[in-house]
Amino acid sequence: MITAGTASARTRRISGVDAARGLALLGMMTVHVLPTISEPGHEATWAGLLFTGRPSALFALLAGVGLALLSGGAGRAHSKTQLAGDRKAIAVRAVIVVVIGLLVAHLDSGVAIILVHYGLLFLLAIPFLRLGAVPLFALAGLWVAAAPVAYWWLHNDLRDSLTQFPDTWRLWHSPSLTDLADPGLMGMDLALTGYYPLLIWPAYLFAGMAIGRLKLQRTSTALRLAGTGLALALISYGVHLWMLFQSEFITELAGRYGWSTAELRAELLAGTYQVPLVTENAWFLLATPHQGSTMDLIHTLGTSMLVLGMCLLIAEKLRWLLAPLIGAGAMPLTLYVGHLVVLHYWNGAQVPEFMTFLAQYSATQMLMILILGALAAGLLRFLLRRRGPLEALTHAAGNAVARR
């Protein structure tokens, strides 16, 4: 995974970017372990309300920040010669991330793994590395406006033209090596029907790249990011809540599918893909997690900007206090893969005798183990100033190809 936090190999990491990424990691771990809907199904849990969809969006936005920092940072991109090396390094790192994603998908982690999609996003971003903040913000805005319309139209058109779309046209799991045998199905899943459709997710990447072209060390930049993000998040979620509690949409939809209104609201707050919302015209106004709708994109972009802005404001001032979080955010690929391995064994995979204790932990206990383990590793990384194992691999491979 391309790490966002350095403007170059010779400059110090931006603590706020790493802290934000650390929060994204912990948020994803939380929603990967704890239930998002209460047992009767009538309420979204606190984990479902807070962490479904938002951490992965923040992760994607920070990937864009990282690409911008790697290719020059604030202002303009590197020179043509330097940028050629940047592109080679990014391409190699992206391919490694894709391969790792295909491999870890064979684990029984119970997680919709995002690594393959991330790697492909990095490859898609390569032609845009020379752009400055203004054109990148314009590109992100255009994507937010157009991609949900294209996504909605394609989904509904394909439902009419393809037999049993999307049920037989979706993998319903993380793309793995075995799925390479059916490239049509895998391509459809990656682009349109999967959990992180590449038709939608470049919006986060381009927004992050635009942010990475700003002077992130300035307090004014952090305040603008936080303020803009808060406004976007509140307005979009206000529209979402109005749709859930004030409009007739919920009553009509619940009656059509035989759900209670309470069950349907919980589903639309936590987003568990039980109802095909994309077939509804009202889909654009719902900020249900992982829907890719207009309100979902605006809301998650807003929360991502808010978190990043707040982290930029406080992380450098509280650098030693936040050292475990900052360090964790500086080794995202290692910790992401590591927590998938732990969840694999926690879910009951055959393990050596000395590791059977993992299956005995409750969800809350397992979450605490993952969080404390990530923060401990982060503190060690912060103190030693050494890359994580997988970050070192991608960095060395990319630099070797770029001849740095």
Side-chain angles (χ1 to χ4, degrees):
M1 191 170 299
I2 295 170
T3 302
T6 57
S8 74
R10 296 179 298 277
T11 58
R12 197 176 76 173
R13 301 182 65 90
I14 299 176
S15 298
V17 174
D18 283 336
R21 196 184 305 100
L23 289 175
L25 278 167
L26 299 186
M28 284 190 288
M29 290 178 182
T30 300
V31 82
H32 291 165
V33 174
L34 298 183
T36 58
I37 301 277
S38 63
E39 190 62 36
H42 294 160
E43 293 182 356
T45 65
W46 66 269
L49 286 172
L50 290 177
F51 296 119
T52 306
R54 296 186 183 97
S56 54
L58 174 58
F59 220 45
L61 181 132
L62 292 172
V65 174
L67 289 171
L69 294 175
L70 181 65
S71 59
R76 297 182 178 180
H78 283 154
S79 67
K80 186 176 181 179
T81 302
Q82 289 176 300
L83 203 57
D86 295 336
R87 288 184 172 127
K88 291 177 183 178
I90 290 169
V92 170
R93 297 181 194 187
V95 169
I96 293 175
V97 170
V98 168
V99 171
I100 292 174
L102 292 172
L103 290 171
V104 297
H106 292 276
L107 297 173
D108 181 23
S109 63
V111 173
I113 299 168
I114 198 171
L115 294 181
V116 174
H117 306 77
Y118 266 34
L120 294 176
L121 281 176
F122 297 148
L123 292 176
L124 290 173
I126 288 175
F128 303 96
L129 291 177
R130 294 197 68 178
L131 296 182
V134 173
L136 283 167
F137 273 123
L139 184 58
L142 178 63
W143 216 279
V144 171
V149 176
Y151 181 85
W152 182 88
W153 181 84
L154 283 170
H155 255 274
N156 288 289
D157 181 68
L158 290 172
R159 284 174 188 271
D160 294 334
S161 59
L162 290 180
T163 303
Q164 294 184 312
F165 179 89
D167 296 329
T168 58
W169 285 87
R170 140 154 220 172
L171 299 177
W172 289 108
H173 65 265
S174 305
S176 65
L177 289 173
T178 56
D179 297 315
L180 295 173
D182 193 342
L185 174 62
M186 187 174 183
M188 182 73 81
D189 187 73
L190 290 170
L192 188 66
T193 55
Y195 291 100
Y196 313 102
L198 293 176
L199 177 60
I200 297 291
W201 279 67
Y204 301 112
L205 192 76
F206 292 136
M209 290 173 69
I211 291 169
R213 291 281 181 248
L214 304 177
K215 297 184 184 299
L216 296 180
Q217 293 89 344
R218 289 185 176 179
T219 301
S220 58
T221 300
L223 287 171
R224 285 198 297 270
L225 282 174
T228 303
L230 179 62
L232 292 175
L234 289 178
I235 292 170
S236 57
Y237 212 65
V239 173
H240 178 64
L241 292 178
W242 185 87
M243 290 294 297
L244 297 192
F245 292 95
Q246 299 298 324
S247 74
E248 297 297 322
F249 173 70
I250 291 297
T251 303
E252 295 174 2
L253 198 64
R256 193 183 315 161
Y257 288 99
W259 291 42
S260 70
T261 55
E263 288 174 320
L264 187 58
R265 285 195 181 99
E267 154 71 15
L268 300 191
L269 286 169
T272 54
Y273 276 103
Q274 298 301 310
V275 175
L277 297 176
V278 75
T279 60
E280 308 294 327
N281 292 333
W283 172 82
F284 294 95
L285 300 178
L286 297 172
T288 298
H290 290 300
Q291 279 296 312
S293 65
T294 305
M295 284 304 125
D296 177 31
L297 275 178
I298 293 173
H299 180 70
T300 47
L301 281 168
T303 55
S304 299
M305 293 168 65
L306 173 61
V307 171
L308 176 57
M310 294 301 297
C311 286
L312 289 171
L313 283 172
I314 67 172
E316 195 60 42
K317 298 179 179 65
L318 303 175
R319 194 162 180 266
W320 282 98
L321 180 63
L322 298 177
L325 184 66
I326 294 169
M331 50 188 299
L333 183 56
T334 296
L335 292 181
Y336 185 86
V337 171
H339 103 283
L340 295 177
V341 173
V342 172
L343 292 181
H344 170 73
Y345 291 122
W346 181 58
N347 286 332
Q350 187 174 357
V351 296
E353 187 66 29
F354 69 92
M355 293 184 66
T356 54
F357 67 92
L358 284 175
Q360 302 172 6
Y361 290 119
S362 68
T364 302
Q365 290 171 325
M366 176 50 62
L367 177 61
M368 293 306 300
I369 290 171
L370 290 173
I371 289 177
L372 292 176
L375 293 177
L379 179 59
L380 188 63
R381 190 261 176 242
F382 184 90
L383 294 174
L384 297 180
R385 299 182 182 275
R386 301 289 295 272
R387 293 184 176 88
L390 294 181
E391 286 74 21
L393 169 66
T394 58
H395 177 80
N399 281 358
V401 172
R403 297 183 179 178
R404 292 174 173 169

